[in-house]
Amino acid sequence: MDGVAQLKKRLADYTTSLYDEGYLDDQFVQLQQLQDESNPEFVVEVVSLFFQDSQRLLSELAKALEQQSVDFRKVDAYVHQLKGSSSSIGAQRVQRACISFRNYCDDQNIEGCLKCLQQLKNEYSLMKNKLETLFKLEQQLLEAGG
Amino acid sequence: MSLNCKHSGSNSKFSSSLKLKKAKEPLHESDRVWKWRTLLLFLCLLGAAIIGFIWVFSGLNDGTSKDETLNLPQDKDRGLLEHFNVSKGQFHDSASLFQGSDQKKSLQCEKNVRDEMLLINVACAMKVICSEKQGFASQHGMIADNVEFRDQCPVREEDVPRKRGLYLPEDKSLPSASWSMSTAASGDQSCQKYVLQRKAFGARVKEQCQSFSFCSVNACWWIFLGVVLSCLMPCLCQKVLGNEKWKLFQQQLPPLQRQQQPVRSSSKSTGNWRLNFLIGFLIAGVLFSGFLYWYISTVDVSKRKDMLANMCDERARMLQDQFNVSMNHVHALAILVSTFHHGKEPSAIDQKTFGGYTERTAFERPLTSGVAYALRVLHADREEFEKKHGWTIKKMETEDQSLIQDCDPENLDPSPPQDEYAPVIFSQETVSHIVSIDMMSGKEDRENILRARASGKGVLTTPFNLLKSNHLGVVLTFAVYSTHLPPDATPEQRINATVGYLGASYDVPSLVEKLLHQLASKQIIVVHVYDTTNKNEPIKMYGPDDVIDTGLLHISTLEFGDPARKHEMRCRFKQKPTLNWTAIMASGGALIITFLLFHIFNAARLRIAKVEHDYRVMMELKHRAEAADVAKSQFLATVSHEIRTPMNGVLGMLQMLMDTGLNANQLDFAETALVSGKDLISLINEVLDQAKIESGRLELEAVPFDLRAVLDKVLSLFSGKSRKKGIELAVYVSDQIPAVVVGDPGRFRQIITNLVGNSIKFTDYKGHIFVSVHLAEEVRHPSALEDEVLKQSLTFVPNSSKNSYNTLSGFPVVDRRKSWKNFRNLSSGTDLPEEYENIKLLVTVEDTGVGIPQDKQNRIFMPFMQADSSTSRTYGGTGIGLSISKRLVDLMGGEIGFVSEPGTGSTFSFTAVLKKGETSSLDTMQQYYDPAVSDFRGLRALVVDDRSIRAEVTRYHLQRLGIIVDGIAFSMESACAYLSSCASNPSESSKISMVLVDKDVWGMDSSHPFHLLLKELRQNSRTEVPESLPKIFLISTSITPECNELKSAGLVDNVLTKPLRLSVLIFCFQEVPRIGKKRQASGGKPPILGVLLRNKRILVVDDNLVNRRVAEGALKKYGAIVTCVDSGKAALAMLKPPHNFDACFMDLQMPEMDGFDATHRIRSLEREFNERIESGEASSEMFSNVTPWHTPIFAMTADVIQANKEECMKSGMDDYVSKPFEQEQLYSAVARFFASG
């Protein structure tokens, strides 16, 4: 009983910290709300989808930016995709990074883009970490029988 | 033109000088102004001095001229008196003559005095004296005669008594005294006339002087006025053009490099203009002083000329008068001789009588050296004559023309035979030697004699040297006639009637000498008398030989009664005119003033030029400094940004590293690195903010946000720290603040975070930190306080019984009102109607920390300044937070202030202007906690707390959840009483569902009645419905074992840890089962949506897999059957009628075919199909219920902009939903289409 409560508390604190530190926003709450008995793995499913998609997009972006002549339209499209999916799951910081990325894209600033890509990667991995931790906690809680 | 010039000149000049002023410190400005004023004052004084000087000078001038004019009449008076004396003497002589000659024929005398103005009364006098002799008997007759003959006598009435008074024969002095009286009276009259004339002249002179001085004073005033004006003009220009110029200058500022050249040249031209003006002024000044000198000299010279003319004329007239007097006397003598010598037989006069008489009356003719009478003797009568007199007629020596010879007449030869002779028979004693000399023998005399007897008037000889005195003299000759001749007698008759000749020699030099002696100021002028009968060779009769030409010369003609001879008097000043000091001083003064002014203005001009130059240099330096500052800020910003990016990487990697399987030691290292990195990042962020703000690149967002949520976030950020330090941390937001405000939440949060972080940093293990937010308006009217918290915190009273204060933690705090005492306008946000949407928040952060020392308080808001350098050692930090906060507050249109007392604590207050937000525009809070919040709404709670502020804070948080706080109990006892009363009256409406008790009042004593009550209630509850019991929550600063004990003991249902915030409350409440009993009933909207969407076939079109999945999940949740496609083309294929989709959600931005395009095509397909149905080509039976064919298409978009919406509608879409689905919006969009279904 105690362990479950502790776990619950940890989960709550962790979630709150994610919100407070700006990793997640309300969209994630909505996402969680969408999850119910009929769709118990919804959040995890969506988030892993997001991870896959992002991974792909990031590698595409890296590839696109390595080209001799960068096709900024293409880059912009990728970033737009990433932005859309990140905003869908409420990954606020990734979304913000995308916004600044797009600004550099508009300016056709390769260096800026590269920098943003780096930042995006960072944010993405951070996000991934956080969410994975969150899921792990939830899993633990579930296992503990809460 | 000059005005123009001035203006254009002043434009650049004063703009530049103004620039300088503005650029410089105000101190300099005042200094400069002071200098100007001093200069002005000096000029005023100078001008006044000049005018005063001129005035005094003109006054002096008046005085001297007055003196002179006064002198002149005095001279005249003296001359007049002299005249009178002469007449008096004459009269006296006549009297003595009559005495001597014993003749009493007085009436005849009258005719010889008829033409003597002053001797009119002599006749009377004679009568008086005669009557004296005649005796008393004839007295009456004489007086009658007198009255008869002397009708015209102006003093008749006075005569009568006077003559009566003369009965006393022995009194001789009386008549003469009375005579002197009457003559003095007449003399006075004429004297007065002179005086008047003099005065008139003086007045004229004075007038001239006055007009001159008036002119000069006027001129001076004008000059002075001009100077003052020219001094004032710049000041005026400066004032008038001041603002404009300043604006202009401001506009000029950015392109300074470009502008500098023209400015320089214009200032140069201004300088030139100023120099030219000064030189012009100098020349004008010199010319003016020259003119002044000339003018004063001219006036002086004309005055001198007038004076000379006056004096000369006066002297000439007096000389003439005296001469005439003498001549008249000689004439009288002639008549005397004719009367008493020829008219008597035998003659009453012999040589002795004549000699005696003439000697005694010599004073009458002060200018004659002698008189003699020569008888006309025809040649026929010569012998008889010689016989009779006993001497022969002698001849004058050939060349000797003098009447006065010192040779013995005996030695002279007898006169040769002539037609007639004029031997002297009588002579004055002084010239007795000429007796018997024939006057006809001298050529001059002969001519004289001939002319005299022909004209019957006195004639004059040409001047010749008198032998005795060696003076120049003239001889006056009168003819003596035997019979009385009519006035119009012909020369023939006159010659025939001639019996003798009376001659008198005049000593002209002594005459003039004497005259001049009588007059004052004889030393001033030199007088020459000339005989100018022969115009080419004037003979000098009087005057010094060594004539110095002193410039001025005045000539007055003299009329000596002989028309054949002409005389004139020439006067000149003895000395050359002295230097005209007045003129020199006046013009010199003007010149000096001119030079002085020139110097002053020139110095000012040079100074201005120098200052302008300095100003330009300084401006350049300033711009360089500013550029350097901007560069610095830019550099800082860039560097910070550059550091931040890799740092983020480092931190991210560290975090990931920590999630891998590290052992404890490694984890510790990584954690330390992470914390350090975080600190570094926050520092860099701060520096970046500072730099951004300094370079003006920071712009505030304006987005709607929930202020309370922001504050909660801040609290949660510091919750750990505060818990660790054991400080109470609380937030309170006034009810009057709208739920949603528009502003920059990040920056707002930053400010509060900074302040709270600061407070936490400086508050150690006691007390509290209390953040309260109110409207500025609430504070403005302290009398009408509605807010309990504000009221309490403003009425700061110690609670004496418990040795604590009515603050959050009971520790004393500083008076928060002082922190906003200096705010200029606490409520300006609502002053203007157009800013009605604005609200002004007043945020106060109160702590019970160490406080800020008084002497450090003034630099709190300066960047990188901490109160004490030791502070950074003790507490760490860069000291940049407050500075950033201040700047942020400035950006938000607010003010920041604080009050601090070392030992007590500090209170920081700031205001910020935000906009009221639409509550519906942001439902984050509602959505975030929606299920929970709706669960708790309407519940009732009791708060037990002995600190009213803390209780209010708790109530505030509960109210946010919609929980109604029924009451606040300040002690457990009252809470017990309340609870028991509630328990005894268990009506549904007033049922208390929860009791929140602060740990401070809980009391650990288990025997406390409250505990007992609780236990009792609990026991009762076993039999009753558990929900009816109130849940007990303990509010504690930290979770202590005691709390857990209590919890496990079942005394409390849960423990709330401070700081209180919404999330904590919700989690806590949710943990307690059955408190949200209405869970199933609440949340009406999702089921409705579910009803709307249930079993609807919906197509979701999105290229983004994640989005697609999320949308799918969301729609599925409401029971829809969702099909997903990933491109517009696929959607087109799916939606090609006939199909069985009820709606389509379409992403707008997709590769290949975007949402607009896809919709467009779908619509055209539908149109086609509809046409086909109408034409009967396709069977509509299959889908009979959907005609005409129109699938609702909703756009899914991330950015909801108006233009986008219009575009959606245009391309045939039905509505749009924002991409992360929002229930309400989704509902409102969908409801239109599925309401029927």
Side-chain angles (χ1 to χ4, degrees):
Chain A
M1 183 72 188
D2 255 12
V4 175
Q6 210 117 29
L7 264 176
K8 262 190 181 172
K9 175 129 197 66
R10 244 181 96 189
L11 180 63
D13 281 352
Y14 190 73
T15 316
T16 318
S17 79
L18 283 183
Y19 289 125
D20 286 348
E21 287 163 44
Y23 286 105
L24 291 177
D25 63 10
D26 315 317
Q27 186 59 31
F28 192 73
V29 180
Q30 285 203 351
L31 217 58
Q32 281 180 319
Q33 282 173 4
L34 291 180
Q35 181 171 307
D36 53 15
E37 292 78 19
S38 62
N39 204 350
E41 291 294 312
F42 181 70
V43 176
V44 178
E45 186 199 336
V46 171
V47 170
S48 46
L49 260 178
F50 166 71
F51 288 156
Q52 287 167 23
D53 191 44
S54 303
Q55 206 74 57
R56 181 184 61 85
L57 285 171
L58 283 175
S59 58
E60 290 283 344
L61 271 173
K63 225 183 287 172
L65 285 172
E66 275 166 24
Q67 302 285 318
Q68 283 290 323
S69 56
V70 179
D71 184 355
F72 281 102
R73 259 202 334 210
K74 209 162 129 194
V75 173
D76 190 60
Y78 288 138
V79 179
H80 177 69
Q81 287 255 357
L82 195 54
K83 186 189 147 217
S85 47
S86 59
S87 80
S88 275
I89 67 153
Q92 209 174 334
R93 288 170 67 144
V94 179
Q95 189 193 348
R96 277 194 204 141
C98 287
I99 292 171
S100 56
F101 201 151
R102 284 191 78 179
N103 287 340
Y104 279 117
C105 254
D106 288 344
D107 296 345
Q108 309 227 331
N109 182 345
I110 296 179
E111 274 183 41
C113 284
L114 283 171
K115 218 184 293 170
C116 275
L117 182 61
Q118 191 57 45
Q119 205 181 342
L120 202 56
K121 276 181 176 169
N122 284 338
E123 292 289 351
Y124 166 70
S125 46
L126 260 177
M127 189 70 237
K128 195 174 172 187
N129 250 302
K130 295 276 175 193
L131 286 175
E132 276 169 358
T133 317
L134 184 72
F135 292 149
K136 223 181 279 173
L137 273 174
E138 277 177 350
Q139 195 69 35
Q140 280 172 7
L141 187 65
L142 216 68
E143 278 163 12
Chain B
M1 177 227 148
S2 69
L3 199 73
N4 264 345
C5 199
K6 208 159 195 160
H7 266 288
S8 62
S10 60
N11 267 0
S12 50
K13 171 185 161 190
F14 290 111
S15 68
S16 52
S17 69
L18 200 80
K19 280 179 217 164
L20 175 88
K21 273 190 179 177
K22 297 281 177 181
K24 278 190 169 181
E25 293 297 309
L27 186 77
H28 285 212
E29 190 176 349
S30 70
D31 193 32
R32 214 179 138 77
V33 167
W34 186 82
K35 272 184 183 169
W36 263 108
R37 282 192 188 147
T38 317
L39 191 69
L40 217 82
L41 196 70
F42 170 70
L43 282 177
C44 287
L45 283 176
L46 194 74
I50 295 163
I51 288 159
F53 162 72
I54 286 174
W55 182 71
V56 165
F57 147 71
S58 63
L60 212 73
N61 214 16
D62 271 6
T64 53
S65 63
K66 244 181 245 167
D67 282 353
E68 256 162 62
T69 47
L70 275 180
N71 270 344
L72 287 171
Q74 276 174 359
D75 283 0
K76 264 284 131 133
D77 287 352
R78 196 146 3 131
L80 214 64
L81 207 68
E82 204 68 37
H83 242 82
F84 169 70
N85 282 344
V86 168
S87 308
K88 198 174 81 180
Q90 260 179 341
F91 159 71
H92 194 74
D93 288 350
S94 321
S96 56
L97 170 74
F98 285 114
Q99 251 179 339
S101 65
D102 206 19
Q103 284 291 327
K104 291 163 180 81
K105 262 198 164 179
S106 61
L107 280 176
Q108 300 234 342
C109 276
E110 282 178 3
K111 70 177 177 189
N112 69 349
V113 292
R114 198 176 296 148
D115 50 358
E116 274 186 71
M117 189 185 79
L118 283 173
L119 292 181
I120 284 170
N121 294 319
V122 168
C124 299
M126 280 181 183
K127 279 185 233 159
V128 171
I129 291 156
C130 288
S131 60
E132 224 175 279
K133 296 288 179 183
Q134 274 170 340
F136 180 75
S138 59
Q139 190 65 38
H140 268 289
M142 284 302 289
I143 288 167
D145 277 351
N146 189 18
V147 173
E148 267 178 31
F149 289 101
R150 307 289 299 163
D151 278 2
Q152 310 94 322
C153 183
V155 285
R156 199 173 77 182
E157 281 88 357
E158 283 153 295
D159 276 351
V160 180
R162 197 169 52 237
K163 276 154 196 173
R164 287 190 194 282
L166 291 180
Y167 283 103
L168 305 164
E170 70 278 3
D171 192 349
K172 272 188 193 170
S173 63
L174 192 67
S176 60
S178 30
W179 276 123
S180 65
M181 260 171 61
S182 72
T183 45
S186 66
D188 270 355
Q189 274 178 354
S190 53
C191 187
Q192 271 171 358
K193 218 165 78 187
Y194 269 113
V195 169
L196 278 175
Q197 273 178 359
R198 285 291 114 186
K199 271 187 184 162
F201 172 72
R204 226 173 20 247
V205 171
K206 200 169 145 191
E207 227 166 67
Q208 267 182 356
C209 285
Q210 265 177 348
S211 69
F212 164 70
S213 61
F214 179 73
C215 277
S216 53
V217 169
N218 255 2
C220 282
W221 272 118
W222 278 113
I223 291 169
F224 179 56
L225 195 71
V227 168
V228 169
L229 266 181
S230 62
C231 285
L232 283 181
M233 195 72 169
C235 295
L236 261 173
C237 288
Q238 204 169 318
K239 271 183 194 163
V240 171
L241 300 172
N243 283 330
E244 204 181 327
K245 291 297 131 189
W246 178 231
K247 277 179 206 156
L248 209 70
F249 162 62
Q250 292 241 341
Q251 285 163 4
Q252 279 174 358
L253 253 181
L256 186 93
Q257 306 296 346
R258 187 160 44 81
Q259 293 276 338
Q260 248 176 3
Q261 211 47 44
V263 166
R264 194 167 297 168
S265 66
S266 79
S267 80
K268 207 170 181 177
S269 72
T270 317
N272 279 341
W273 169 80
R274 256 181 252 143
L275 183 63
N276 288 341
F277 177 76
L278 274 178
I279 289 171
F281 171 72
L282 186 67
I283 291 169
V286 170
L287 286 180
F288 173 73
S289 57
F291 166 76
L292 197 65
Y293 180 78
W294 173 81
Y295 182 76
I296 296 176
S297 309
T298 313
V299 167
D300 196 54
V301 164
S302 71
K303 212 165 71 190
R304 262 171 82 85
K305 208 181 261 173
D306 277 356
M307 201 168 84
L308 184 69
N310 272 314
M311 286 167 85
C312 199
D313 284 347
E314 180 199 346
R315 276 156 180 72
R317 202 160 47 243
M318 284 177 68
L319 183 66
Q320 197 177 309
D321 283 352
Q322 289 221 346
F323 193 86
N324 284 343
V325 166
S326 296
M327 198 167 75
N328 283 339
H329 198 269
V330 172
H331 196 184
L333 216 56
I335 291 164
L336 185 85
V337 169
S338 127
T339 311
F340 293 103
H341 183 62
H342 296 288
K344 288 278 175 189
E345 201 59 46
S347 167
I349 297 169
D350 54 3
Q351 168 59 32
K352 190 169 162 259
T353 319
F354 190 83
Y357 177 74
T358 50
E359 201 58 45
R360 285 172 66 185
T361 59
F363 68 91
E364 294 275 8
R365 314 173 296 274
L367 309 168
T368 53
S369 49
V371 287
Y373 179 65
L375 201 65
R376 184 190 183 192
V377 178
L378 293 172
H379 187 68
D381 303 329
R382 175 176 173 172
E383 277 174 42
E384 189 190 345
F385 176 82
E386 283 176 345
K387 234 181 265 169
K388 186 180 168 187
H389 285 275
W391 37 260
T392 52
I393 297 169
K394 308 257 176 8
K395 175 181 89 120
M396 239 188 264
E397 274 185 50
T398 329
E399 300 307 316
D400 186 10
Q401 296 179 342
S402 161
L403 189 68
I404 307 138
Q405 294 168 350
D406 51 355
C407 52
D408 193 0
E410 302 300 323
N411 300 341
L412 292 171
D413 296 333
S415 170
Q418 300 268 333
D419 280 351
E420 52 181 322
Y421 308 94
V424 175
I425 53 167
F426 306 136
S427 75
Q428 207 175 332
E429 295 298 328
T430 49
V431 290
S432 53
H433 55 272
I434 60 163
V435 172
S436 82
I437 291 175
D438 179 14
M439 285 294 122
M440 295 285 262
S441 59
K443 194 188 169 202
E444 279 287 326
D445 292 322
R446 184 188 166 84
E447 270 176 26
N448 238 16
I449 287 165
L450 292 178
R451 256 188 328 126
R453 75 179 179 197
S455 64
K457 288 175 180 163
V459 292
L460 292 171
T461 59
T462 51
F464 54 89
N465 268 325
L466 295 179
L467 283 183
K468 262 188 182 167
S469 58
N470 203 24
H471 282 167
L472 273 180
V474 289
V475 173
L476 174 72
T477 310
F478 270 104
V480 178
Y481 303 105
S482 58
T483 52
H484 181 73
L485 287 169
D488 54 346
T490 60
E492 292 300 321
Q493 285 172 321
R494 289 180 189 276
I495 291 166
N496 290 336
T498 306
V499 286
Y501 321 99
L502 192 73
S505 72
Y506 281 84
D507 184 353
V508 176
S510 28
L511 174 74
V512 179
E513 197 81 31
K514 199 176 157 209
L515 180 79
L516 293 182
H517 265 297
Q518 293 167 357
L519 292 171
S521 63
K522 64 175 175 176
Q523 61 271 48
I524 294 173
I525 57 170
V526 181
V527 176
H528 288 258
V529 179
Y530 286 95
D531 184 311
T532 52
T533 312
N534 185 352
K535 280 214 169 125
N536 297 328
E537 290 173 33
I539 304 156
K540 190 172 84 180
M541 293 163 75
Y542 173 76
D545 294 327
D546 48 342
V547 177
I548 316 147
D549 186 17
T550 52
L552 285 174
L553 177 70
H554 186 81
I555 298 171
S556 313
T557 50
L558 291 169
E559 204 56 62
F560 285 149
D562 183 358
R565 299 229 154 251
K566 290 198 173 61
H567 298 86
E568 58 183 40
M569 182 182 267
R570 296 180 184 180
C571 303
R572 40 168 67 88
F573 281 103
K574 238 179 204 158
Q575 267 138 13
K576 283 198 176 230
T578 50
L579 279 175
N580 194 339
W581 283 110
T582 321
I584 289 169
M585 273 165 71
S587 56
L591 206 63
I592 286 167
I593 289 162
T594 307
F595 277 109
L596 218 60
L597 286 178
F598 175 76
H599 175 74
I600 288 167
F601 283 118
N602 197 35
R605 187 183 67 82
L606 292 176
R607 173 96 187 118
I608 286 168
K610 188 179 175 303
V611 164
E612 272 174 1
H613 177 256
D614 287 356
Y615 160 75
R616 277 195 297 276
V617 171
M618 275 189 296
M619 275 313 282
E620 206 166 309
L621 289 178
K622 179 175 171 259
H623 280 275
R624 256 190 254 163
E626 273 171 2
D629 193 47
V630 167
K632 184 212 81 181
S633 291
Q634 215 133 24
F635 171 76
L636 255 175
T638 318
V639 166
S640 308
H641 188 76
E642 294 298 319
I643 294 171
R644 206 160 57 149
T645 313
M647 266 315 285
N648 274 330
V650 170
L651 288 183
M653 291 307 125
L654 270 175
Q655 221 146 21
M656 282 162 79
L657 182 70
M658 278 164 69
D659 289 334
T660 57
L662 297 178
N663 65 32
N665 216 2
Q666 286 169 331
L667 200 66
D668 185 42
F669 292 162
E671 221 157 60
T672 314
L674 187 68
V675 169
S676 311
K678 272 182 180 167
D679 285 352
L680 184 58
I681 280 276
S682 69
L683 169 62
I684 286 166
N685 281 341
E686 280 183 348
V687 171
L688 184 61
D689 279 347
Q690 178 79 23
K692 262 188 189 167
I693 294 167
E694 270 180 12
S695 56
R697 284 191 301 175
L698 188 84
E699 279 172 17
L700 290 180
E701 278 186 280
V703 296
F705 69 99
D706 184 348
L707 184 77
R708 291 170 176 88
V710 167
L711 288 169
D712 275 355
K713 280 180 187 173
V714 175
L715 279 199
S716 65
L717 206 63
F718 289 106
S719 61
K721 266 187 190 169
S722 68
R723 227 172 275 158
K724 224 185 282 171
K725 283 193 161 188
I727 306 163
E728 273 193 49
L729 184 59
V731 153
Y732 177 82
V733 180
S734 163
D735 296 339
Q736 302 202 16
I737 295 186
V740 176
V741 290
V742 178
D744 191 330
R747 298 300 173 185
F748 193 76
R749 187 176 139 185
Q750 196 179 357
I751 299 170
I752 294 174
T753 309
N754 275 332
L755 294 178
V756 173
N758 232 35
S759 289
I760 287 219
K761 212 191 285 177
F762 295 108
T763 307
D764 286 327
Y765 306 110
K766 62 159 183 137
H768 66 270
I769 292 158
F770 182 35
V771 182
S772 59
V773 185
H774 296 274
L775 285 182
E777 268 179 89
E778 290 181 67
V779 183
R780 205 163 55 138
H781 311 293
S783 54
L785 280 179
E786 286 176 15
D787 195 275
E788 192 66 29
V789 170
L790 194 62
K791 206 190 286 179
Q792 296 219 7
S793 51
L794 289 182
T795 54
F796 172 65
V797 283
N799 192 339
S800 54
S801 62
K802 289 180 187 172
N803 195 22
S804 64
Y805 296 83
N806 62 338
T807 60
L808 194 71
S809 63
F811 284 95
V813 292
V814 291
D815 185 1
R816 62 167 65 188
R817 266 172 298 189
K818 283 181 191 160
S819 64
W820 62 70
K821 199 175 62 187
N822 291 331
F823 290 4
R824 279 173 308 233
N825 33 12
L826 261 177
S827 61
S828 70
T830 51
D831 278 353
L832 298 169
E834 65 261 31
E835 289 176 19
Y836 184 71
E837 279 298 298
N838 284 352
I839 51 169
K840 192 160 202 173
L841 299 183
L842 174 70
V843 183
T844 318
V845 178
E846 172 188 285
D847 69 47
T848 56
V850 293
I852 304 159
Q854 208 69 36
D855 54 329
K856 305 293 185 340
Q857 292 191 357
N858 54 350
R859 52 180 206 199
I860 277 299
F861 293 117
M862 277 152 94
F864 308 108
M865 283 279 189
Q866 283 192 328
D868 199 336
S869 57
S870 64
T871 313
S872 51
R873 281 202 298 279
T874 318
Y875 301 102
T878 52
I880 206 172
L882 281 179
S883 146
I884 291 174
S885 299
K886 180 172 167 43
R887 283 165 185 274
L888 287 175
V889 166
D890 288 344
L891 281 176
M892 286 184 188
E895 290 157 291
I896 190 165
F898 70 98
V899 57
S900 181
E901 220 171 273
T904 306
S906 316
T907 297
F908 281 80
S909 293
F910 72 89
T911 56
V913 178
L914 300 174
K915 278 197 173 64
K916 278 182 194 164
E918 297 274 319
T919 316
S920 60
S921 70
L922 189 90
D923 254 348
T924 332
M925 195 47 92
Q926 291 304 108
Q927 293 203 353
Y928 189 9
Y929 299 110
D930 189 40
V933 170
S934 51
D935 283 352
F936 305 129
R937 188 160 289 145
L939 295 183
R940 290 174 176 276
L942 174 70
V943 176
V944 184
D945 199 333
D946 61 341
R947 300 233 165 80
S948 54
I949 288 187
R950 199 159 53 184
E952 285 295 331
V953 171
T954 312
R955 178 157 75 172
Y956 150 72
H957 285 293
L958 290 174
Q959 271 176 351
R960 288 172 69 195
L961 281 173
I963 297 169
I964 300 155
V965 176
D966 251 9
I968 295 171
F970 293 110
S971 66
M972 294 300 275
E973 286 80 9
S974 52
C976 279
Y978 191 84
L979 275 178
S980 0
S981 71
C982 284
S984 61
N985 182 23
S987 69
E988 190 68 24
S989 59
S990 62
K991 205 173 68 178
I992 303 285
S993 0
M994 54 177 80
V995 180
L996 291 104
V997 186
D998 196 271
K999 196 159 159 278
D1000 285 359
V1001 289
W1002 181 261
M1004 287 304 135
D1005 185 7
S1006 56
S1007 62
H1008 199 278
F1010 185 72
H1011 299 184
L1012 295 176
L1013 177 73
L1014 279 177
K1015 273 177 189 160
E1016 195 185 313
L1017 283 171
R1018 299 241 161 204
Q1019 276 155 12
N1020 289 347
S1021 72
R1022 298 230 170 94
T1023 58
E1024 288 178 21
V1025 197
E1027 274 89 9
S1028 62
L1029 273 183
K1031 307 290 179 211
I1032 312 293
F1033 295 94
L1034 186 66
I1035 305 171
S1036 164
T1037 316
S1038 55
I1039 298 174
T1040 57
E1042 293 167 1
C1043 300
N1044 284 334
E1045 266 174 43
L1046 285 172
K1047 198 175 165 189
S1048 48
L1051 273 177
V1052 295
D1053 292 285
N1054 209 341
V1055 179
L1056 285 164
T1057 48
K1058 280 188 250 183
L1060 288 182
R1061 50 193 198 274
L1062 212 53
S1063 54
V1064 172
L1065 282 176
I1066 290 169
F1067 275 115
C1068 252
F1069 292 164
Q1070 276 178 339
E1071 274 183 33
V1072 176
R1074 294 185 302 274
I1075 195 161
K1077 50 173 177 155
K1078 293 177 280 182
R1079 188 175 186 116
Q1080 296 308 313
S1082 66
K1085 282 166 202 164
I1088 293 171
L1089 253 185
V1091 168
L1092 277 179
L1093 292 174
R1094 194 173 304 276
N1095 294 326
K1096 294 279 189 272
R1097 286 174 294 269
I1098 290 172
L1099 181 68
V1100 171
V1101 188
D1102 199 330
D1103 62 321
N1104 190 314
L1105 184 64
V1106 180
N1107 287 356
R1108 211 158 58 212
R1109 188 69 190 87
V1110 170
E1112 188 191 342
L1115 290 170
K1116 265 186 180 166
K1117 188 174 160 63
Y1118 303 119
I1121 302 157
V1122 183
T1123 313
C1124 295
V1125 290
D1126 64 347
S1127 70
K1129 268 187 184 165
L1132 204 58
M1134 297 291 275
L1135 286 178
K1136 186 171 160 52
H1139 58 77
N1140 54 2
F1141 288 108
D1142 293 310
C1144 171
F1145 284 84
M1146 174 111 48
D1147 186 29
L1148 284 180
Q1149 207 171 6
M1150 287 182 293
E1152 289 177 58
M1153 186 187 290
D1154 66 11
F1156 300 119
D1157 199 9
T1159 311
H1160 201 68
R1161 285 171 190 234
I1162 289 166
R1163 289 287 175 242
S1164 60
L1165 280 176
E1166 283 174 348
R1167 220 175 300 127
E1168 225 172 90
F1169 189 74
N1170 285 343
E1171 280 164 14
R1172 271 170 53 196
I1173 289 174
E1174 272 172 31
S1175 60
E1177 278 178 48
S1179 60
S1180 61
E1181 288 82 49
M1182 283 166 69
F1183 312 100
S1184 56
N1185 53 342
V1186 273
T1187 40
W1189 204 275
H1190 181 94
T1191 315
I1193 298 178
F1194 303 101
M1196 291 191 294
T1197 172
D1199 14 47
V1200 192
I1201 317 169
Q1202 193 63 27
N1204 221 339
K1205 184 185 173 181
E1206 276 164 17
E1207 212 174 334
C1208 292
M1209 299 303 166
K1210 220 161 63 187
S1211 63
M1213 292 178 175
D1214 296 285
D1215 208 339
Y1216 72 93
V1217 290
S1218 61
K1219 192 122 50 138
F1221 283 153
E1222 281 174 23
Q1223 275 189 27
E1224 255 181 71
Q1225 207 196 357
L1226 187 61
Y1227 175 77
S1228 65
V1230 171
R1232 274 171 49 199
F1233 297 93
F1234 299 126
S1236 54

